[in-house]
Amino acid sequence: MYFFFGNLLSGFTIKPVSLKMPLNQSRDQKLKERWEELVAVLSDRFSDGEALDVEGILYLVGLQELGQVHRKMKKDDNVNLIHIGICAVLEPFGYYRFDYIDDEGWPHFELLEELPPLKPGEQSVLMKEALVSYFLKRALIQ
């Protein structure tokens, strides 16, 4: 499975705080159930029949954080939206901190801690956990 981190955000790798301890079976199952619920809810609202993937959901988070949903986006804007999504969902993990909004309304984040490399499976679990957490806090899923 191709993950966009290495390509779009070269130099960025991710280390989850919560993955330092082994996940137990019930926690894995709960994350899986919540992830499936999140994908179903967002895919129903924003997709034309296809299930959204991690990158698509990060794009939606970036768009939400930008707050300019009716703005016409350029290709570079799309990459930046995914980056904003990554920063926003990893902020509670202590890797990023919101810094400021620029003159064009784009949020900027400060990197607080370097993100060491993860195996693709660990990266996927981290992003799913971060996305589920983001949407739990916004009461989109339970």
Side-chain angles (χ1 to χ4, degrees), residues 11-16 20 95 113-119 122-123 126:
F12 284 89
T13 51
I14 301 167
K15 178 186 175 198
K20 290 182 181 178
Y95 292 109
E113 181 181 336
E114 284 297 320
L115 306 168
L118 289 175
K119 296 175 187 172
E122 293 171 326
Q123 188 178 79
L126 171 65

Side-chain angles (χ1 to χ4, degrees), residues 25-123:
Q25 189 70 9
S26 63
R27 185 170 173 198
D28 286 342
Q29 185 61 34
K30 191 67 171 172
L31 176 61
K32 183 177 186 273
E33 290 168 3
R34 286 176 168 163
W35 174 252
E36 290 171 355
E37 179 186 0
L38 177 62
V39 169
V41 167
L42 293 177
S43 296
D44 284 347
R45 290 187 186 178
F46 300 105
S47 179
D48 294 329
E50 281 189 47
L52 292 171
D53 59 7
V54 170
E55 188 173 325
I57 296 173
L58 285 169
Y59 176 86
L60 292 175
V61 170
L63 199 56
Q64 172 71 24
E65 293 294 317
L66 178 62
Q68 301 177 19
V69 294
H70 299 294
R71 178 179 175 169
K72 185 164 173 107
M73 299 295 168
K74 299 175 189 167
K75 184 177 180 180
D76 287 346
D77 292 339
N78 294 334
V79 172
N80 290 331
L81 286 169
I82 292 169
H83 177 69
I84 291 168
I86 291 168
C87 294
V89 301
L90 292 179
E91 187 176 19
F93 289 77
Y95 292 109
Y96 294 95
R97 179 177 63 215
F98 173 76
D99 197 13
Y100 67 96
I101 295 179
D102 67 20
D103 294 338
E104 295 178 5
W106 287 82
H108 291 261
F109 291 82
E110 176 185 357
L111 178 65
L112 298 177
E113 181 181 336
E114 284 297 320
L115 306 168
L118 289 175
K119 296 175 187 172
E122 293 171 326
Q123 188 178 79

